[in-house]
Amino acid sequence: MTWIQILLLLVVAYLVIALYIRERGLFKDHVMFFGPILAIKTERVEFFDWFRKFTTPLRAYATLGVVMVVVVSVFMTLALILTIPQYLVHTPEPTGIYDPRNILAIPGVNQAIPITAAVILGLLLTIVIHEFGHAILARVEDMRVRSMGLLIAVVPIGAFVEPDEEDVEAARGMPKIRMFGAGITNNIVFGLLCFAVMFLLLGMATPLAIPLVQGVYQDYPAAEAGIQGYSVITEINGIPVRTQEEIAAIMEGTRPGETVTLTAVKEGVEKTYSLTLAEWPEALGGDRDSGFMGVYYYNAPAVKEHLDKIADLGLLAPLYLTIVPIDAFIQGNTMQLAILLADTPEQMAWEEPFPLFWGLVHLLFWTGWFNLLVGMFNAIPIVPLDGGYMMKEGIERLFERLGWSQQYAQRVVSSISGFVTVMLILLITMPLIGAAVRSVLAMG
C-alpha cells in the first residue's frame, strides 16, 4: 500500500468519524467544528495553576522575554522596510522561493517544507509551546484559563488555550504584555534549545570517507556508462577500495582514453561498469593529466566541518539554519545540509551513535525551525499578532501616563499596524504584481 493510499484511507476515516460525531451530537461539551476542522477541548485546566508556585521566576523570565520580543519586533519591521525598496528595483518572478505559496510555512504548500512525521510533530509542538506560554503566564498574572484543546484535520494540526476574556481585558500594563509575549518567548527560547541539542547530537556522529557517488557529470564516462547517483564504489580494475582517497590514488595512474572497470553497489545491488576515461574539464582541473571518470562524491567530513563552523557562529547559527530548507529547495541534491531535513541517501556516509539518530535530528531541526519562525513572525507589530497586542498595550499605557488622549493612542497603534501590514502584503504580492505589469507591457 502506497503512502497516497494510506493518506486517502485516513482522510475517508476522519470524514466518516467526524460526520458521525456531528450528526449524532456526541460529546457536545468537548467537541466543536470549524468547517472540516474538529476541535477537542476540555475545561479541566487546573494543570496551569501549578505554575503559580513559581510566580517570581516566571515573571522574571517573561519580562526578559518582553525585551527580547521588542528587539525581534524592531528587527522584523526594519527587515520589511529595507526589503521592499529592493523589490521595487529588482522585482523577482513569482516562481521558486518567490512563489507566494512559499511565503507560508505550511507543509505541503510551501515547496521547501516536506510532509514528514518530523515536520508535522515539530509544527504541533511549536503551537503547543506557544499556547502553553500564554496560559501559564495568564495564571501567573491572575487571569483565568477557561479551556484548552487540540485542532484536528485528519491528524493533529494545532492546539489552543482560552484565557478568560474579561480577565484579559481587565489586566493592564506589564502583566498583560508579559502574557501576550510569553508565547513568542517560549517559541524563540525553545527553538534555540532545539538547535543547541541538535548540534550536540551531530557532534556524536562520525563522518565516513566512503566513496559514495553523489552524482555524475553529463556527457562524461560515468554518465555514459550508466552509473547512478548514490552508488558506492567498491572496486576499480578488481582492486577493492574503501575511501575516496584510495580511488584517487588509483586514478592518478590512469590516462585519458584508457578503459577501467568499476564495480559499484546501490541499494544492495552490485553492478560492474566499463568506462573509457576522458580528459579533465577545464573548470575542474584541466591541467591534470590523469583520466577523468566524471563522478563527484558526497564528502561527509567536509559537511561535518561545515556544521562545526555553523555551530561556531553562536547565536547567529539559528538565523543561518532558518534558510537551510530554502537552500535545499533551490540546490536540490547538491545541498549538503539536506541531511538535517529528512532521510537522504547521504546518511549512509555517517556512523550513527544510536538507532533512530537521524529521526531525532530531523525532529529537533524542524521543531527549532518552526519555533523560531513562528516566534519571529508573531513578534511583528500587527494586530492581531501577539507583537501587535504588546505594542497596543504599551502605547496605551504610555499615553495614559503622559496624560494624552487614548484616542491618539488608538490612531498611533492603527497607523503602525496598518503600515507594517501594507509592507507585509507588498512582500507577498509584489512578484505577482511585477509579473502582471511585465505581461501588460509585453502585450503593448
Side-chain angles (χ1 to χ4, degrees):
M1 184 177 290
T2 66
W3 71 269
I4 295 178
Q5 291 172 321
I6 294 172
L7 180 60
L8 288 174
L9 284 175
L10 288 173
V11 171
V12 171
Y14 168 76
L15 291 174
V16 169
I17 294 171
L19 287 172
Y20 181 81
I21 292 173
R22 191 168 190 170
E23 291 299 319
R24 295 278 180 164
L26 302 176
F27 315 115
K28 288 184 178 179
D29 294 334
H30 300 287
V31 173
M32 299 181 296
F33 286 90
F34 302 95
I37 299 175
L38 183 151
I40 300 176
K41 73 169 187 175
T42 178
E43 294 181 355
R44 301 189 64 176
V45 291
E46 298 83 2
F47 162 77
F48 295 115
D49 293 340
W50 180 81
F51 291 94
R52 289 166 64 88
K53 299 177 183 178
F54 308 100
T55 294
T56 300
L58 285 174
R59 279 181 176 161
Y61 165 79
T63 300
L64 290 174
V66 168
V67 176
M68 178 178 65
V69 172
V70 171
V71 172
V72 173
S73 180
V74 172
F75 169 79
M76 293 296 288
T77 303
L78 288 175
L80 282 172
I81 293 172
L82 294 174
T83 301
I84 297 303
Q86 297 296 320
Y87 267 37
L88 289 172
V89 176
H90 302 289
T91 305
E93 293 287 340
T95 58
I97 62 171
Y98 299 106
D99 188 323
R101 64 176 169 165
N102 291 331
I103 299 293
L104 306 173
I106 302 175
V109 175
N110 189 311
Q111 294 170 291
I113 307 177
I115 301 177
T116 66
V119 169
I120 299 300
L121 186 54
L123 180 56
L124 181 60
L125 284 171
T126 298
I127 298 170
V128 170
I129 289 163
H130 182 93
E131 295 298 328
F132 270 40
H134 290 313
I136 291 169
L137 259 294
R139 293 306 297 130
V140 165
E141 301 294 355
D142 296 320
M143 302 176 214
R144 289 167 293 179
V145 176
R146 295 172 57 188
S147 67
M148 66 177 179
L150 283 175
L151 299 174
I152 299 175
V154 183
V155 296
I157 59 170
F160 64 91
V161 296
E162 286 185 285
D164 187 275
E165 292 181 7
E166 293 182 0
D167 287 356
V168 174
E169 191 63 31
R172 298 166 67 81
M174 279 303 294
K176 194 171 185 176
I177 292 174
R178 283 193 290 258
M179 189 277 291
F180 279 126
I184 301 174
T185 302
N186 273 9
N187 283 143
I188 294 177
V189 170
F190 196 77
L192 294 175
L193 286 174
C194 283
F195 282 142
V197 174
M198 184 191 74
F199 277 118
L200 289 175
L201 286 180
L202 289 170
M204 299 167 62
T206 303
L208 306 174
I210 65 172
L212 173 62
V213 176
Q214 190 172 34
V216 298
Y217 294 102
Q218 292 302 311
D219 303 322
Y220 281 95
E224 293 173 353
I227 297 176
Q228 298 178 323
Y230 301 114
S231 299
V232 178
I233 299 174
T234 57
E235 291 182 4
I236 293 184
N237 289 337
I239 303 172
V241 291
R242 292 175 298 178
T243 67
Q244 297 170 25
E245 288 75 15
E246 290 179 354
I247 293 177
I250 294 173
M251 294 302 297
E252 279 296 321
T254 65
R255 293 293 179 267
E258 289 186 25
T259 298
V260 299
T261 301
L262 181 150
T263 302
V265 177
K266 180 174 181 178
E267 298 176 354
V269 179
E270 184 178 88
K271 291 185 179 181
T272 299
Y273 306 88
S274 180
L275 288 73
T276 300
L277 302 179
E279 294 183 356
W280 278 81
E282 193 71 31
L284 299 176
D287 57 340
R288 300 175 64 171
D289 56 8
S290 60
F292 179 65
M293 290 193 295
V295 303
Y296 56 91
Y297 303 102
Y298 174 72
N299 193 336
V303 173
K304 173 74 169 180
E305 185 178 344
H306 184 40
L307 286 168
D308 290 341
K309 288 180 180 179
I310 295 173
D312 290 340
L313 294 174
L315 289 177
L316 292 178
L319 290 178
Y320 181 90
L321 291 175
T322 58
I323 66 172
V324 167
I326 298 172
D327 281 349
F329 171 62
I330 295 172
Q331 299 178 38
N333 291 338
T334 62
M335 174 57 183
Q336 301 298 314
L337 298 186
I339 57 168
L340 302 179
L341 310 181
D343 288 334
T344 66
E346 287 92 347
Q347 290 168 201
M348 73 176 76
W350 295 79
E351 184 179 332
E352 303 175 13
F354 53 82
L356 303 179
F357 170 79
W358 287 109
L360 183 55
V361 168
H362 301 153
L363 178 61
L364 286 168
F365 176 87
W366 285 111
T367 304
W369 191 83
F370 277 120
N371 270 280
L372 276 187
L373 262 66
V374 168
M376 292 170 67
F377 179 78
N378 269 286
I380 297 175
I382 297 173
V383 177
L385 298 180
D386 293 331
Y389 283 122
M390 293 173 68
M391 173 194 67
K392 180 176 181 293
E393 183 65 20
I395 290 176
E396 286 179 352
R397 298 290 77 80
L398 175 63
F399 276 48
E400 185 178 72
R401 288 183 184 178
L402 296 175
W404 297 350
S405 170
Q406 288 300 299
Q407 182 179 359
Y408 294 128
Q410 293 297 328
R411 290 178 181 175
V412 171
V413 171
S414 297
S415 298
I416 295 174
S417 182
F419 172 74
V420 179
T421 300
V422 170
M423 294 294 102
L424 192 59
I425 292 173
L426 285 174
L427 180 69
I428 297 171
T429 60
M430 279 186 69
L432 290 173
I433 296 171
V437 170
R438 285 190 290 268
S439 177
V440 171
L441 291 175
M443 292 173 61

